[in-house]
Amino acid sequence: MNEQIKIAQFGLGPIGLESLKLAATKPWASIVGGVDLDPAKVGKDLGALAGVEALRGLPVCATVEDLLGRAQLDVVLHTTVSKFKDAFVQLEPLARRGVSVVSTCEQLIFPQLKERELAAKLDKMCQESGARIVGAGVNPGFVMDVLPLCLTGVSRQVRHIRIERVVNASTRRGPLQKKIGSGLPSGEFRRLFEAGHLGHAGLKESLALIAHSLGWSLEEITETGEAVLAERDIRTRFVEVKRGLTCGLHQHAEGKVKGQTVLVLDLKMYLEAPNPRDVIQIEGDPPLTVALEGGVAGDSATVGSLVNTARRIRQAPPGLRLPTELALPFWA
Ligand SMILES: NC(=O)c1ccc[n+]([C@@H]2O[C@H](COP(=O)([O-])OP(=O)(O)OC[C@H]3O[C@@H](n4cnc5c(N)ncnc54)[C@H](OP(=O)(O)O)[C@@H]3O)[C@@H](O)[C@H]2O)c1
């Protein structure tokens, strides 16, 4: 694969900037520009914004249409929003023009769960133009869906899967520390969680992706989310939390087949969480327990996943793809 892939970065927040910097180091990638809504970034020099000399002279555009008018694109790294409905309008012009996208949009890991019609619409556009669109990342995208599915590649039988992830959110970026509710009274956390304005996006989608891939037809997916309250005052680079206020969350999802719980995804993500880890338990033949001590470092791994997937995406058939429909992921 000698051809260089022309890449643009759509979304220049912490994840987008790190993805851009990593992509800029790859001999197979040629960066052509960036897109972001933020007026403080639009019109700036991309190299100056990212602190990468090699990217000097490249534009930061306010819209993807603007960038498409100035440069040819093969693949866009998309890192803006969590909900597929919000991402759809950003992805549509790319899908229409045959530009492929690897996105950290959490719901894109299994967009059919909440937006079946929109997903079918985007898929059709991609099939017609030759674009491929896929979700990638660490969670969703790896630890609580793709990795457990890979492990079942040696199973003769699978009866039950339980995945537990504990994240010390103090090690994560500012936007994540905010989206887990840091600093909020527990009542406010509950209200915003129930309205879908905070919490980890994509837990149900991870669960649905596993069930879909294993051919399990779930009767029901349940999800709960509780605030974890700080036992003492906590200060990080990004937030300050007084004792008794929310310092993160405990989110839990279950899926049932014939009244039996067959899938459990349990996520604890809070500031100063002790013993961070990822544990996957597969009950079946053979039984398997895999523990990743310390857990997969979320922000760094998301960036790795995004860039590694960008190299392989054009080998997949055109369409809105599930991560399980791409070749096995590996470092590129
Ligand atoms: N799957 C995973 O494992 C995983 C892991 C990490 C992050 N994520 C997701 O990846 C995304 C990026 O993370 P982050 O921390 O970098 O988020 P962030 O700080 O919110 O950055 C997103 C950037 O995109 C911009 N943006 C939003 N809508 C836009 C639009 N329509 N057009 C152009 N720019 C737009 C935002 O501008 P404004 O600031 O002006 O709104 C912001 O600069 C988030 O949705 C996050 O939840 C997923």
Side-chain angles (χ1 to χ4, degrees):
M1 209 202 298
N2 294 324
E3 187 203 350
Q4 281 212 318
I5 304 174
K6 295 181 211 65
I7 290 186
Q9 178 61 51
F10 190 167
L12 294 164
I15 295 291
L17 281 174
E18 285 307 309
S19 303
L20 176 68
K21 287 194 230 170
L22 181 63
T25 66
K26 301 291 179 186
W28 47 265
S30 156
I31 312 296
V32 300
V35 178
D36 201 289
L37 267 186
D38 185 350
K41 296 173 189 162
V42 176
K44 287 250 163 75
D45 183 286
L46 187 64
L49 193 65
V52 178
E53 207 47 43
L55 302 180
R56 288 259 174 201
L58 294 174
V60 177
C61 300
T63 64
V64 76
E65 285 86 350
D66 187 2
L67 186 62
L68 282 163
R70 298 179 190 214
Q72 272 201 331
L73 307 182
D74 296 321
V75 177
V76 164
L77 305 177
H78 176 257
T79 59
T80 62
V81 287
S82 300
K83 293 194 174 139
F84 176 56
K85 211 194 247 175
D86 300 332
F88 180 85
V89 288
Q90 302 168 15
L91 300 176
E92 194 178 0
L94 296 163
R96 287 198 189 285
R97 286 179 172 81
V99 178
S100 293
V101 180
V102 186
S103 173
T104 54
C105 170
E106 284 90 341
Q107 290 185 351
L108 202 56
I109 228 69
F110 196 72
Q112 294 80 359
L113 181 70
K114 291 191 183 127
E115 302 291 346
R116 184 170 286 278
E117 278 177 26
L118 269 192
K121 201 170 158 190
L122 194 61
D123 183 48
K124 186 161 181 283
M125 281 178 216
C126 290
Q127 306 263 3
E128 284 167 3
S129 71
R132 291 92 171 151
I133 296 184
V134 73
V138 69
N139 184 35
F142 189 66
V143 173
M144 299 185 94
D145 39 50
V146 172
L147 181 59
L149 278 169
C150 282
L151 293 173
T152 68
V154 295
S155 298
R156 290 159 50 122
Q157 177 63 263
V158 178
R159 285 185 290 277
H160 184 275
I161 301 179
R162 178 184 166 85
I163 306 154
E164 182 193 15
R165 177 162 166 83
V166 179
V167 177
N168 174 6
S170 298
T171 62
R172 301 291 301 267
R173 67 196 191 284
L176 182 122
Q177 293 186 7
K178 297 211 172 82
K179 96 177 170 186
I180 58 173
S182 298
L184 296 176
S186 58
E188 184 67 355
F189 171 93
R190 170 152 304 286
R191 194 182 67 75
L192 291 171
F193 181 84
E194 277 164 12
H197 296 318
L198 61 72
H200 169 73
L203 199 64
K204 278 184 164 179
E205 278 76 6
S206 288
L207 193 141
L209 176 63
I210 295 176
H212 168 82
S213 307
L214 297 181
W216 288 353
S217 181
L218 298 179
E219 282 139 24
E220 195 190 2
I221 302 179
T222 54
E223 184 178 36
T224 55
E226 304 291 336
V228 176
L229 303 181
E231 288 173 3
R232 55 180 176 277
D233 292 357
I234 300 174
R235 176 197 284 252
T236 73
R237 272 173 61 211
F238 308 105
V239 292
E240 267 192 62
V241 178
K242 293 275 174 226
R243 184 167 168 263
L245 294 178
T246 303
C247 66
L249 54 76
H250 179 192
Q251 219 165 307
H252 184 92
E254 296 195 359
K256 284 189 179 160
V257 174
K258 294 188 188 149
Q260 295 285 322
T261 301
V262 290
L263 274 171
V264 176
L265 272 60
D266 192 87
L267 174 67
K268 291 190 184 117
M269 207 156 36
Y270 58 96
L271 304 175
E272 296 188 354
N275 190 17
R277 62 196 177 274
D278 297 315
V279 182
I280 301 162
Q281 287 172 290
I282 300 174
E283 223 178 82
D285 178 16
L288 275 173
T289 298
V290 174
L292 301 169
E293 296 298 336
V296 180
D299 298 335
S300 191
T302 297
V303 166
S305 159
L306 202 66
V307 174
N308 292 334
T309 306
R311 193 183 191 197
R312 295 177 305 115
I313 188 172
R314 290 188 311 156
Q315 293 158 14
L320 176 59
R321 294 280 148 226
L322 296 174
T324 45
E325 294 172 329
L326 264 56
L328 198 67
F330 51 82
W331 177 62

